[in-house]
Amino acid sequence: MESPAVPAAVQPDDEGSAFRALADPTRRQILEDLRGGELAAGEIASRFSISAPSISRHLGVLKGAGLVTERRDANRILYSLAEERLALCVGRFLSTVCPEQIVLRNTRWRSAPEGDAS
């Protein structure tokens, strides 16, 4: 099974755009909201107290960084989290900065029973 194509404007080694996109709390919240699955632009906008055009700009930044994908469904634009791109960007950075810690964190996350917040 092929992985989704990364837009041509986004180079796999260009992690700077991903980190710039992650710098804004509204964009991080959008990514968290998309964790549950695909959402329409209007659904995303309804979760915030800022204007729909502002949310559209935030979505544009996320899309430009390759952190979300979009698809049209009739007159709606549906957004999805680009999990692999996000994981690769953050993972590469963390493994460079603190390689021992990433292994420990990954082990703890995977071995913790469901419902255990520790």
Side-chain angles (χ1 to χ4, degrees):
M1 176 185 196
E2 289 185 34
S3 47
V6 175
V10 178
Q11 298 300 317
D13 296 328
D14 178 21
E15 292 156 5
S17 63
F19 283 101
R20 284 188 292 279
L22 292 170
D24 186 274
T26 299
R27 292 192 287 266
R28 289 192 308 268
Q29 184 60 54
I30 291 169
L31 293 175
E32 285 185 41
D33 291 348
L34 290 173
R35 199 175 51 178
E38 190 174 64
L39 290 172
E43 293 173 286
I44 295 168
S46 71
R47 297 169 181 230
F48 295 89
S49 60
I50 60 176
S51 69
S54 290
I55 293 298
S56 181
R57 283 190 293 277
H58 284 296
L59 288 166
V61 170
L62 291 168
K63 182 180 172 201
L67 300 179
V68 299
T69 59
E70 70 176 33
R71 72 174 180 90
R72 288 206 171 267
D73 180 33
N75 64 342
R76 299 182 337 149
I77 300 175
L78 300 168
Y79 289 89
S80 298
L81 183 61
E83 295 174 358
E84 186 173 327
R85 164 83 171 147
L86 179 60
L88 286 173
C89 288
V90 175
R92 268 192 288 238
F93 173 75
L94 287 176
S95 66
T96 301
V97 174
C98 52
E100 305 83 25
Q101 292 301 311
I102 195 69
V103 172
L104 292 173
R105 287 185 198 129
N106 194 20
T107 302
R108 269 190 245 135
W109 289 335
R110 292 189 192 276
S111 64
E114 281 192 35
D116 183 6
S118 58

Short mmCIF file of all heavy atoms in Angstrom, two decimals, residues 23-90:
data_model
loop_
_atom_site.label_atom_id
_atom_site.label_comp_id
_atom_site.label_asym_id
_atom_site.label_seq_id
_atom_site.Cartn_x
_atom_site.Cartn_y
_atom_site.Cartn_z
N ALA A 23 4.06 26.23 15.84
CA ALA A 23 4.33 27.30 16.81
C ALA A 23 3.05 27.99 17.29
O ALA A 23 3.03 28.59 18.36
CB ALA A 23 5.28 28.33 16.21
N ASP A 24 1.98 27.89 16.54
CA ASP A 24 0.74 28.60 16.88
C ASP A 24 -0.24 27.69 17.62
O ASP A 24 -0.53 26.59 17.15
CB ASP A 24 0.08 29.12 15.60
CG ASP A 24 -1.12 29.97 15.91
OD1 ASP A 24 -2.22 29.40 16.08
OD2 ASP A 24 -0.95 31.20 16.00
N PRO A 25 -0.77 28.14 18.77
CA PRO A 25 -1.68 27.29 19.55
C PRO A 25 -2.98 26.94 18.81
O PRO A 25 -3.51 25.85 18.99
CB PRO A 25 -1.96 28.09 20.82
CG PRO A 25 -1.46 29.46 20.58
CD PRO A 25 -0.48 29.41 19.44
N THR A 26 -3.47 27.84 17.97
CA THR A 26 -4.69 27.53 17.21
C THR A 26 -4.43 26.38 16.25
O THR A 26 -5.23 25.45 16.13
CB THR A 26 -5.19 28.76 16.44
OG1 THR A 26 -5.49 29.80 17.38
CG2 THR A 26 -6.43 28.44 15.62
N ARG A 27 -3.28 26.41 15.58
CA ARG A 27 -2.96 25.33 14.65
C ARG A 27 -2.73 24.01 15.37
O ARG A 27 -3.14 22.95 14.89
CB ARG A 27 -1.75 25.72 13.79
CG ARG A 27 -2.10 26.86 12.83
CD ARG A 27 -1.06 27.09 11.78
NE ARG A 27 0.15 27.70 12.26
CZ ARG A 27 0.40 29.01 12.24
NH1 ARG A 27 -0.51 29.86 11.78
NH2 ARG A 27 1.56 29.47 12.67
N ARG A 28 -2.12 24.08 16.55
CA ARG A 28 -1.95 22.84 17.32
C ARG A 28 -3.31 22.28 17.73
O ARG A 28 -3.53 21.06 17.69
CB ARG A 28 -1.06 23.08 18.55
CG ARG A 28 0.39 23.32 18.18
CD ARG A 28 1.32 23.27 19.38
NE ARG A 28 0.93 24.12 20.49
CZ ARG A 28 1.34 25.38 20.66
NH1 ARG A 28 2.17 25.94 19.79
NH2 ARG A 28 0.94 26.07 21.72
N GLN A 29 -4.25 23.15 18.09
CA GLN A 29 -5.59 22.69 18.46
C GLN A 29 -6.30 22.07 17.26
O GLN A 29 -6.98 21.05 17.39
CB GLN A 29 -6.43 23.83 19.04
CG GLN A 29 -7.79 23.38 19.53
CD GLN A 29 -7.72 22.33 20.63
OE1 GLN A 29 -7.05 22.56 21.64
NE2 GLN A 29 -8.38 21.21 20.45
N ILE A 30 -6.13 22.66 16.09
CA ILE A 30 -6.72 22.08 14.88
C ILE A 30 -6.20 20.67 14.66
O ILE A 30 -6.96 19.74 14.38
CB ILE A 30 -6.45 22.97 13.64
CG1 ILE A 30 -7.24 24.28 13.75
CG2 ILE A 30 -6.80 22.24 12.35
CD1 ILE A 30 -6.85 25.33 12.71
N LEU A 31 -4.89 20.50 14.81
CA LEU A 31 -4.30 19.16 14.65
C LEU A 31 -4.87 18.18 15.67
O LEU A 31 -5.19 17.04 15.34
CB LEU A 31 -2.78 19.22 14.76
CG LEU A 31 -2.06 19.97 13.64
CD1 LEU A 31 -0.57 20.08 13.93
CD2 LEU A 31 -2.31 19.33 12.29
N GLU A 32 -5.04 18.65 16.91
CA GLU A 32 -5.64 17.78 17.93
C GLU A 32 -7.06 17.41 17.56
O GLU A 32 -7.47 16.25 17.72
CB GLU A 32 -5.62 18.46 19.30
CG GLU A 32 -4.25 18.48 19.94
CD GLU A 32 -4.28 19.06 21.35
OE1 GLU A 32 -5.23 18.76 22.11
OE2 GLU A 32 -3.37 19.83 21.66
N ASP A 33 -7.82 18.37 17.04
CA ASP A 33 -9.20 18.09 16.64
C ASP A 33 -9.25 17.08 15.49
O ASP A 33 -10.16 16.24 15.45
CB ASP A 33 -9.91 19.39 16.23
CG ASP A 33 -10.16 20.33 17.40
OD1 ASP A 33 -9.99 19.91 18.57
OD2 ASP A 33 -10.51 21.50 17.14
N LEU A 34 -8.29 17.14 14.60
CA LEU A 34 -8.26 16.21 13.47
C LEU A 34 -7.80 14.82 13.86
O LEU A 34 -7.94 13.88 13.08
CB LEU A 34 -7.36 16.77 12.36
CG LEU A 34 -7.91 17.98 11.62
CD1 LEU A 34 -6.86 18.55 10.67
CD2 LEU A 34 -9.19 17.64 10.88
N ARG A 35 -7.30 14.69 15.06
CA ARG A 35 -6.87 13.37 15.54
C ARG A 35 -8.02 12.38 15.52
O ARG A 35 -7.83 11.19 15.29
CB ARG A 35 -6.33 13.53 16.97
CG ARG A 35 -5.47 12.43 17.44
CD ARG A 35 -4.92 12.75 18.79
NE ARG A 35 -6.00 13.13 19.70
CZ ARG A 35 -5.85 13.43 20.96
NH1 ARG A 35 -4.66 13.42 21.50
NH2 ARG A 35 -6.87 13.74 21.72
N GLY A 36 -9.23 12.87 15.72
CA GLY A 36 -10.41 12.01 15.72
C GLY A 36 -10.89 11.63 14.34
O GLY A 36 -11.81 10.84 14.18
N GLY A 37 -10.29 12.21 13.30
CA GLY A 37 -10.70 11.90 11.94
C GLY A 37 -10.97 13.15 11.14
O GLY A 37 -10.84 14.27 11.62
N GLU A 38 -11.37 12.92 9.93
CA GLU A 38 -11.60 13.97 8.95
C GLU A 38 -12.69 14.95 9.41
O GLU A 38 -13.72 14.53 9.95
CB GLU A 38 -12.02 13.28 7.66
CG GLU A 38 -12.10 14.11 6.45
CD GLU A 38 -12.39 13.25 5.23
OE1 GLU A 38 -13.48 12.65 5.17
OE2 GLU A 38 -11.52 13.17 4.36
N LEU A 39 -12.47 16.26 9.19
CA LEU A 39 -13.45 17.28 9.52
C LEU A 39 -13.59 18.27 8.38
O LEU A 39 -12.61 18.59 7.70
CB LEU A 39 -13.04 18.06 10.78
CG LEU A 39 -13.07 17.35 12.12
CD1 LEU A 39 -12.45 18.23 13.19
CD2 LEU A 39 -14.50 16.96 12.48
N ALA A 40 -14.79 18.77 8.19
CA ALA A 40 -15.03 19.82 7.19
C ALA A 40 -14.51 21.14 7.74
O ALA A 40 -14.46 21.36 8.95
CB ALA A 40 -16.52 19.92 6.89
N ALA A 41 -14.14 22.02 6.83
CA ALA A 41 -13.61 23.33 7.22
C ALA A 41 -14.59 24.06 8.14
O ALA A 41 -14.19 24.66 9.14
CB ALA A 41 -13.31 24.16 5.98
N GLY A 42 -15.87 23.99 7.84
CA GLY A 42 -16.88 24.65 8.67
C GLY A 42 -16.96 24.06 10.07
O GLY A 42 -17.16 24.79 11.04
N GLU A 43 -16.80 22.75 10.17
CA GLU A 43 -16.79 22.09 11.48
C GLU A 43 -15.60 22.56 12.30
O GLU A 43 -15.71 22.79 13.51
CB GLU A 43 -16.73 20.57 11.34
CG GLU A 43 -17.96 19.95 10.73
CD GLU A 43 -17.76 18.47 10.46
OE1 GLU A 43 -17.02 18.13 9.50
OE2 GLU A 43 -18.31 17.65 11.23
N ILE A 44 -14.46 22.68 11.65
CA ILE A 44 -13.26 23.15 12.35
C ILE A 44 -13.47 24.58 12.82
O ILE A 44 -13.22 24.90 13.99
CB ILE A 44 -12.02 23.04 11.44
CG1 ILE A 44 -11.73 21.57 11.12
CG2 ILE A 44 -10.81 23.72 12.08
CD1 ILE A 44 -10.72 21.36 10.00
N ALA A 45 -13.96 25.44 11.93
CA ALA A 45 -14.17 26.85 12.27
C ALA A 45 -15.15 27.02 13.42
O ALA A 45 -14.97 27.90 14.27
CB ALA A 45 -14.65 27.61 11.03
N SER A 46 -16.16 26.15 13.49
CA SER A 46 -17.18 26.29 14.55
C SER A 46 -16.63 26.01 15.95
O SER A 46 -17.25 26.37 16.94
CB SER A 46 -18.36 25.36 14.26
OG SER A 46 -17.99 24.01 14.46
N ARG A 47 -15.45 25.42 16.03
CA ARG A 47 -14.85 25.09 17.32
C ARG A 47 -14.04 26.24 17.91
O ARG A 47 -13.53 26.13 19.01
CB ARG A 47 -13.94 23.86 17.18
CG ARG A 47 -14.70 22.62 16.75
CD ARG A 47 -13.77 21.50 16.36
NE ARG A 47 -14.54 20.35 15.93
CZ ARG A 47 -14.34 19.13 16.40
NH1 ARG A 47 -13.40 18.88 17.27
NH2 ARG A 47 -15.09 18.13 15.96
N PHE A 48 -13.92 27.34 17.16
CA PHE A 48 -13.08 28.46 17.57
C PHE A 48 -13.90 29.74 17.62
O PHE A 48 -14.90 29.89 16.93
CB PHE A 48 -11.91 28.62 16.61
CG PHE A 48 -10.96 27.46 16.62
CD1 PHE A 48 -11.14 26.38 15.78
CD2 PHE A 48 -9.88 27.44 17.49
CE1 PHE A 48 -10.27 25.31 15.80
CE2 PHE A 48 -9.00 26.37 17.53
CZ PHE A 48 -9.21 25.30 16.68
N SER A 49 -13.42 30.69 18.41
CA SER A 49 -14.10 31.97 18.53
C SER A 49 -13.50 33.02 17.59
O SER A 49 -13.82 34.20 17.70
CB SER A 49 -14.03 32.48 19.98
OG SER A 49 -12.68 32.65 20.36
N ILE A 50 -12.65 32.59 16.66
CA ILE A 50 -12.10 33.52 15.68
C ILE A 50 -12.82 33.34 14.35
O ILE A 50 -13.56 32.37 14.16
CB ILE A 50 -10.56 33.33 15.53
CG1 ILE A 50 -10.21 31.92 15.06
CG2 ILE A 50 -9.84 33.65 16.82
CD1 ILE A 50 -8.72 31.70 14.80
N SER A 51 -12.61 34.27 13.44
CA SER A 51 -13.35 34.27 12.18
C SER A 51 -13.00 33.06 11.29
O SER A 51 -11.90 32.51 11.37
CB SER A 51 -13.08 35.56 11.41
OG SER A 51 -11.75 35.57 10.94
N ALA A 52 -13.95 32.70 10.44
CA ALA A 52 -13.73 31.61 9.49
C ALA A 52 -12.55 31.90 8.56
O ALA A 52 -11.76 31.01 8.28
CB ALA A 52 -15.00 31.33 8.70
N PRO A 53 -12.38 33.16 8.06
CA PRO A 53 -11.20 33.43 7.23
C PRO A 53 -9.89 33.21 7.99
O PRO A 53 -8.90 32.75 7.40
CB PRO A 53 -11.37 34.89 6.81
CG PRO A 53 -12.85 35.12 6.86
CD PRO A 53 -13.33 34.29 8.03
N SER A 54 -9.86 33.50 9.29
CA SER A 54 -8.64 33.26 10.07
C SER A 54 -8.36 31.76 10.16
O SER A 54 -7.20 31.33 10.02
CB SER A 54 -8.78 33.84 11.48
OG SER A 54 -8.77 35.24 11.42
N ILE A 55 -9.40 30.98 10.38
CA ILE A 55 -9.23 29.52 10.42
C ILE A 55 -8.75 29.02 9.06
O ILE A 55 -7.87 28.16 8.99
CB ILE A 55 -10.54 28.81 10.85
CG1 ILE A 55 -10.88 29.14 12.30
CG2 ILE A 55 -10.44 27.31 10.64
CD1 ILE A 55 -9.84 28.67 13.31
N SER A 56 -9.29 29.59 8.00
CA SER A 56 -8.86 29.20 6.66
C SER A 56 -7.37 29.47 6.45
O SER A 56 -6.65 28.66 5.87
CB SER A 56 -9.69 29.97 5.62
OG SER A 56 -9.32 29.58 4.33
N ARG A 57 -6.90 30.60 6.96
CA ARG A 57 -5.46 30.91 6.85
C ARG A 57 -4.64 29.90 7.66
O ARG A 57 -3.59 29.44 7.20
CB ARG A 57 -5.18 32.33 7.32
CG ARG A 57 -5.56 33.38 6.26
CD ARG A 57 -5.06 34.76 6.62
NE ARG A 57 -5.72 35.32 7.79
CZ ARG A 57 -6.89 35.95 7.79
NH1 ARG A 57 -7.55 36.08 6.65
NH2 ARG A 57 -7.41 36.44 8.90
N HIS A 58 -5.11 29.55 8.86
CA HIS A 58 -4.41 28.55 9.67
C HIS A 58 -4.36 27.21 8.95
O HIS A 58 -3.33 26.53 8.93
CB HIS A 58 -5.09 28.38 11.04
CG HIS A 58 -4.80 29.48 12.00
ND1 HIS A 58 -3.54 29.75 12.48
CD2 HIS A 58 -5.63 30.39 12.57
CE1 HIS A 58 -3.60 30.77 13.33
NE2 HIS A 58 -4.86 31.17 13.40
N LEU A 59 -5.48 26.82 8.33
CA LEU A 59 -5.51 25.57 7.58
C LEU A 59 -4.56 25.62 6.39
O LEU A 59 -3.91 24.62 6.06
CB LEU A 59 -6.94 25.26 7.12
CG LEU A 59 -7.89 24.82 8.23
CD1 LEU A 59 -9.34 24.88 7.75
CD2 LEU A 59 -7.54 23.42 8.72
N GLY A 60 -4.44 26.78 5.77
CA GLY A 60 -3.51 26.95 4.66
C GLY A 60 -2.06 26.77 5.10
O GLY A 60 -1.26 26.15 4.38
N VAL A 61 -1.72 27.29 6.28
CA VAL A 61 -0.37 27.11 6.81
C VAL A 61 -0.11 25.63 7.09
O VAL A 61 0.95 25.09 6.74
CB VAL A 61 -0.16 27.96 8.09
CG1 VAL A 61 1.15 27.60 8.79
CG2 VAL A 61 -0.20 29.45 7.76
N LEU A 62 -1.08 24.96 7.72
CA LEU A 62 -0.93 23.54 8.02
C LEU A 62 -0.80 22.72 6.74
O LEU A 62 0.02 21.80 6.66
CB LEU A 62 -2.10 23.05 8.87
CG LEU A 62 -2.15 23.58 10.29
CD1 LEU A 62 -3.50 23.27 10.93
CD2 LEU A 62 -1.01 23.00 11.12
N LYS A 63 -1.59 23.05 5.74
CA LYS A 63 -1.52 22.34 4.47
C LYS A 63 -0.18 22.60 3.79
O LYS A 63 0.46 21.69 3.28
CB LYS A 63 -2.68 22.75 3.56
CG LYS A 63 -2.69 22.01 2.25
CD LYS A 63 -3.84 22.45 1.38
CE LYS A 63 -3.69 21.82 0.01
NZ LYS A 63 -4.42 22.53 -1.01
N GLY A 64 0.26 23.85 3.80
CA GLY A 64 1.54 24.21 3.20
C GLY A 64 2.71 23.49 3.85
O GLY A 64 3.71 23.18 3.20
N ALA A 65 2.59 23.22 5.15
CA ALA A 65 3.64 22.51 5.88
C ALA A 65 3.52 21.00 5.70
O ALA A 65 4.37 20.25 6.19
CB ALA A 65 3.57 22.87 7.36
N GLY A 66 2.45 20.57 5.04
CA GLY A 66 2.26 19.13 4.81
C GLY A 66 1.70 18.40 6.02
O GLY A 66 1.75 17.17 6.07
N LEU A 67 1.15 19.14 6.99
CA LEU A 67 0.64 18.51 8.22
C LEU A 67 -0.82 18.11 8.11
O LEU A 67 -1.30 17.32 8.93
CB LEU A 67 0.86 19.43 9.42
CG LEU A 67 2.32 19.80 9.70
CD1 LEU A 67 2.41 20.74 10.89
CD2 LEU A 67 3.16 18.55 9.92
N VAL A 68 -1.53 18.66 7.13
CA VAL A 68 -2.90 18.23 6.87
C VAL A 68 -3.07 18.04 5.37
O VAL A 68 -2.32 18.60 4.56
CB VAL A 68 -3.97 19.25 7.38
CG1 VAL A 68 -3.90 19.43 8.88
CG2 VAL A 68 -3.87 20.58 6.67
N THR A 69 -4.02 17.21 5.02
CA THR A 69 -4.40 17.03 3.62
C THR A 69 -5.85 17.46 3.49
O THR A 69 -6.59 17.51 4.48
CB THR A 69 -4.24 15.57 3.17
OG1 THR A 69 -5.07 14.74 3.99
CG2 THR A 69 -2.79 15.12 3.27
N GLU A 70 -6.23 17.79 2.28
CA GLU A 70 -7.63 18.18 2.04
C GLU A 70 -8.17 17.43 0.85
O GLU A 70 -7.42 17.00 -0.02
CB GLU A 70 -7.75 19.69 1.83
CG GLU A 70 -7.18 20.19 0.54
CD GLU A 70 -7.42 21.68 0.31
OE1 GLU A 70 -7.45 22.46 1.28
OE2 GLU A 70 -7.56 22.04 -0.87
N ARG A 71 -9.48 17.27 0.87
CA ARG A 71 -10.16 16.70 -0.29
C ARG A 71 -11.53 17.35 -0.39
O ARG A 71 -12.11 17.77 0.62
CB ARG A 71 -10.28 15.18 -0.18
CG ARG A 71 -11.26 14.67 0.83
CD ARG A 71 -11.41 13.14 0.76
NE ARG A 71 -12.37 12.70 1.74
CZ ARG A 71 -13.69 12.57 1.51
NH1 ARG A 71 -14.19 12.84 0.33
NH2 ARG A 71 -14.50 12.15 2.48
N ARG A 72 -12.01 17.46 -1.59
CA ARG A 72 -13.32 18.06 -1.82
C ARG A 72 -14.39 16.98 -1.83
O ARG A 72 -14.20 15.90 -2.38
CB ARG A 72 -13.35 18.80 -3.15
CG ARG A 72 -12.55 20.08 -3.11
CD ARG A 72 -13.09 21.07 -4.13
NE ARG A 72 -12.47 22.36 -3.94
CZ ARG A 72 -13.00 23.32 -3.18
NH1 ARG A 72 -14.13 23.14 -2.57
NH2 ARG A 72 -12.39 24.47 -3.06
N ASP A 73 -15.51 17.31 -1.21
CA ASP A 73 -16.68 16.45 -1.24
C ASP A 73 -17.85 17.37 -1.55
O ASP A 73 -18.34 18.07 -0.66
CB ASP A 73 -16.87 15.75 0.11
CG ASP A 73 -18.08 14.85 0.12
OD1 ASP A 73 -18.41 14.26 -0.93
OD2 ASP A 73 -18.72 14.74 1.19
N ALA A 74 -18.23 17.41 -2.83
CA ALA A 74 -19.23 18.35 -3.32
C ALA A 74 -18.75 19.77 -3.02
O ALA A 74 -17.69 20.17 -3.48
CB ALA A 74 -20.60 18.05 -2.71
N ASN A 75 -19.48 20.52 -2.19
CA ASN A 75 -19.08 21.90 -1.91
C ASN A 75 -18.33 22.03 -0.59
O ASN A 75 -18.09 23.15 -0.13
CB ASN A 75 -20.31 22.82 -1.91
CG ASN A 75 -21.29 22.47 -0.81
OD1 ASN A 75 -21.24 21.38 -0.26
ND2 ASN A 75 -22.19 23.40 -0.50
N ARG A 76 -17.97 20.92 0.01
CA ARG A 76 -17.22 20.97 1.28
C ARG A 76 -15.76 20.60 1.05
O ARG A 76 -15.44 19.82 0.17
CB ARG A 76 -17.82 19.98 2.29
CG ARG A 76 -19.25 20.28 2.65
CD ARG A 76 -19.87 19.37 3.68
NE ARG A 76 -19.28 18.06 3.83
CZ ARG A 76 -19.26 17.39 4.98
NH1 ARG A 76 -19.80 17.89 6.06
NH2 ARG A 76 -18.73 16.18 5.04
N ILE A 77 -14.90 21.19 1.89
CA ILE A 77 -13.49 20.81 1.90
C ILE A 77 -13.26 20.07 3.22
O ILE A 77 -13.53 20.59 4.30
CB ILE A 77 -12.56 22.02 1.81
CG1 ILE A 77 -12.81 22.78 0.50
CG2 ILE A 77 -11.10 21.58 1.88
CD1 ILE A 77 -12.02 24.07 0.38
N LEU A 78 -12.80 18.84 3.10
CA LEU A 78 -12.56 18.00 4.27
C LEU A 78 -11.06 17.91 4.53
O LEU A 78 -10.27 17.70 3.60
CB LEU A 78 -13.13 16.60 4.03
CG LEU A 78 -14.65 16.59 3.78
CD1 LEU A 78 -15.08 15.23 3.27
CD2 LEU A 78 -15.41 16.95 5.03
N TYR A 79 -10.69 18.08 5.80
CA TYR A 79 -9.28 18.06 6.20
C TYR A 79 -8.99 16.83 7.04
O TYR A 79 -9.82 16.40 7.83
CB TYR A 79 -8.94 19.32 7.00
CG TYR A 79 -8.92 20.56 6.14
CD1 TYR A 79 -10.07 21.31 5.94
CD2 TYR A 79 -7.75 20.95 5.50
CE1 TYR A 79 -10.06 22.43 5.12
CE2 TYR A 79 -7.73 22.07 4.69
CZ TYR A 79 -8.88 22.81 4.50
OH TYR A 79 -8.86 23.90 3.70
N SER A 80 -7.79 16.30 6.84
CA SER A 80 -7.32 15.14 7.61
C SER A 80 -5.90 15.43 8.09
O SER A 80 -5.14 16.15 7.45
CB SER A 80 -7.25 13.89 6.74
OG SER A 80 -8.53 13.54 6.27
N LEU A 81 -5.57 14.82 9.20
CA LEU A 81 -4.24 14.93 9.77
C LEU A 81 -3.28 14.08 8.94
O LEU A 81 -3.55 12.92 8.64
CB LEU A 81 -4.28 14.41 11.21
CG LEU A 81 -3.01 14.47 12.05
CD1 LEU A 81 -2.54 15.90 12.21
CD2 LEU A 81 -3.27 13.86 13.42
N ALA A 82 -2.13 14.66 8.58
CA ALA A 82 -1.08 13.91 7.87
C ALA A 82 -0.15 13.36 8.94
O ALA A 82 0.93 13.87 9.18
CB ALA A 82 -0.36 14.82 6.89
N GLU A 83 -0.60 12.29 9.58
CA GLU A 83 0.10 11.74 10.75
C GLU A 83 1.55 11.38 10.47
O GLU A 83 2.43 11.65 11.27
CB GLU A 83 -0.65 10.51 11.27
CG GLU A 83 -2.01 10.82 11.81
CD GLU A 83 -2.80 9.57 12.17
OE1 GLU A 83 -2.29 8.45 11.95
OE2 GLU A 83 -3.92 9.72 12.66
N GLU A 84 1.80 10.75 9.33
CA GLU A 84 3.15 10.31 9.03
C GLU A 84 4.11 11.49 8.91
O GLU A 84 5.21 11.47 9.43
CB GLU A 84 3.16 9.47 7.74
CG GLU A 84 4.52 8.86 7.47
CD GLU A 84 4.47 7.90 6.29
OE1 GLU A 84 3.45 7.23 6.09
OE2 GLU A 84 5.48 7.85 5.57
N ARG A 85 3.69 12.52 8.21
CA ARG A 85 4.53 13.72 8.04
C ARG A 85 4.83 14.35 9.40
O ARG A 85 5.97 14.69 9.70
CB ARG A 85 3.82 14.72 7.13
CG ARG A 85 4.36 16.13 7.16
CD ARG A 85 5.56 16.32 6.26
NE ARG A 85 5.84 17.75 6.23
CZ ARG A 85 7.05 18.24 6.12
NH1 ARG A 85 8.08 17.43 6.00
NH2 ARG A 85 7.23 19.52 6.10
N LEU A 86 3.82 14.50 10.23
CA LEU A 86 4.00 15.09 11.56
C LEU A 86 4.95 14.23 12.39
O LEU A 86 5.90 14.74 12.99
CB LEU A 86 2.65 15.22 12.26
CG LEU A 86 2.66 15.80 13.67
CD1 LEU A 86 3.26 17.20 13.69
CD2 LEU A 86 1.25 15.82 14.23
N ALA A 87 4.73 12.95 12.39
CA ALA A 87 5.58 12.04 13.18
C ALA A 87 7.02 12.06 12.70
O ALA A 87 7.96 12.07 13.50
CB ALA A 87 5.02 10.62 13.14
N LEU A 88 7.22 12.09 11.38
CA LEU A 88 8.58 12.10 10.84
C LEU A 88 9.32 13.38 11.21
O LEU A 88 10.48 13.35 11.61
CB LEU A 88 8.56 11.93 9.32
CG LEU A 88 8.24 10.53 8.83
CD1 LEU A 88 8.09 10.53 7.30
CD2 LEU A 88 9.31 9.55 9.24
N CYS A 89 8.65 14.52 11.07
CA CYS A 89 9.30 15.80 11.37
C CYS A 89 9.68 15.90 12.84
O CYS A 89 10.83 16.19 13.18
CB CYS A 89 8.38 16.96 11.02
SG CYS A 89 8.20 17.22 9.26
N VAL A 90 8.73 15.64 13.69
CA VAL A 90 8.99 15.76 15.14
C VAL A 90 9.94 14.65 15.58
O VAL A 90 10.87 14.88 16.35
CB VAL A 90 7.67 15.73 15.92
CG1 VAL A 90 7.93 15.72 17.42
CG2 VAL A 90 6.82 16.95 15.55
#
